[in-house]
Amino acid sequence: MPEPRTVALVTLGCARNEVDSEELAGRLAADGWQLVEDAADADVAVVNTCGFVDAAKKDSVDALLEANDLKGQARTQAVVAVGCMAERYGKELAQELPEADGVLGFDDYADISDRLRTILSGGVHASHTPRDRRKLLPISPAERQGQGGAVALPGHAQDGAASVTGTASVTGAEAEAPVSVPDLPEGVAPASGPRAPLRRRLGGGPVASVKLASGCDRRCAFCAIPSFRGSFISRRPSDVLGETRWLAGQGVTEVMLVSENNTSYGKDLGDIRLLETLLPELAAVDGIERIRVSYLQPAEMRPGLIDVLTSTPKVAPYFDLSFQHSAPGVLRAMRRFGDTERFLELLETIRGKAPQAGVRSNFIVGFPGETEDDVAELERFLGAARLDAIGVFGYSDEEGTEAAGYDGKLDEDEVAARLARVSRLAEELTAQRAEERLGETVDVLVETVDGEDGEAVGRAAHQAPETDGQTVLTSGEGLRPGMVVAAKVVDTDGVDLVAEPLGGCTEAVRG
């Protein structure tokens, strides 16, 4: 029997890309490929690229070049680019980067095994031809149901948007226990019947992401994502619930719901309040100790959604709000809504219901036309907002975006100066916010334990993976990854907390 082909998946970018990589891993494992962690041990290295901003694109190119350097020195015979950068640039990327033996778009994902076998055998698969994916589905969300059978939607049901039937109910026959599918290797989904995407976890640990939707209908002037991720389309609630159950069976205790815009979930299914219905169902899954919702649009926040996020057991009172700025003139130029006072009112409403709620956001400085008064207004907002985590980015043109054609561009040195200035302020303010938590009792999901009696590290409810800091527990005795332990905050280090366990912990129930 021939030795199975080996493949390594190298993932860059956001949590959505991580889910896509696990879908590719599931497809490949189901077709007999052996998954390995190190590209040097793989016949083919598949690099899941990010195409969002220049720095991310550079990281993607560097990863492709690094994998290419293994040829002739290790087992690696081919390097293939997938993901957002490959989808966005396709043939152009292939021409500029001949080191990549293949550049595959989202349309190739369903046939990823065949594509890789062709490339490894010396064949040539035509590089992906980019297209504006916003034009592949109807403009009206309601008309997208049943129209996307031929549209590839990574992380969705295998038959694409055609599986969307408009069902807004989470309960009933559609939400039955996971259906086993024969002839799949151990550890490979689908978890809710043959419609669900194949998935195999690429890492251990108690945290995993689940896609709520793909694409975005917003038209922010600085963002190119909708052009290569396409229009917004929700996953069926039963598929989300089934995948969460499967992940719980794989040892996951915290699920983070991801998409380009979670506040729009359900609008194409006929119920914009569908997330409020789904969250309690997800939180009730045996083995799940925390549900976290990311990527929320301030302009779309609803009182009912705030209520569910702040009052549902096991749903983290966590608000990843995409403010981007607070000066009204800059926001309008960005094609966004709101201002300092409206944003502060939103935060006041959230904290009125959950005083310990975590809030994070990202901001762009140096946007075309931004004045010193606009920067001062942003600083005023940041000073009053008491955010737990702040990401600050300097504006740069993204091809294909409206803002790339704007007048009033700032000098690069001025953008860099404003970036440094606001970043320093953000660092000071988030450290102060962490200090406000001294004496609080926080629920820490343990992620790592160094030795039986060693240091345990995890995250409180206001800390999302990788972006918002961590909590170091003063004792790891008796703790294991995946447990949730109540702890008192006794010290801080920037945005990180130091907390003393209070003795009570919760361990997930395994069915």
Side-chain angles (χ1 to χ4, degrees), residues 91 103-104 108 124-128:
K91 290 183 176 180
V103 176
L104 307 180
D108 292 304
V124 176
H125 179 73
S127 297
H128 164 68

Side-chain angles (χ1 to χ4, degrees), residues 33-91:
W33 289 76
Q34 180 181 342
L35 300 169
V36 296
E37 293 186 12
D38 193 337
D41 297 326
D43 295 310
V44 57
V46 177
V47 180
N48 192 348
T49 61
C50 179
F52 182 37
V53 293
D54 286 343
K57 286 182 278 190
K58 181 182 182 303
D59 288 344
S60 296
V61 170
D62 289 345
L64 288 163
L65 293 174
E66 182 178 344
N68 182 70
D69 288 341
L70 295 172
K71 293 179 186 176
Q73 303 179 34
R75 179 167 176 163
T76 311
Q77 302 172 44
V79 177
V80 174
V82 298
C84 290
M85 189 176 180
E87 175 66 36
R88 184 176 181 182
Y89 296 105
K91 290 183 176 180

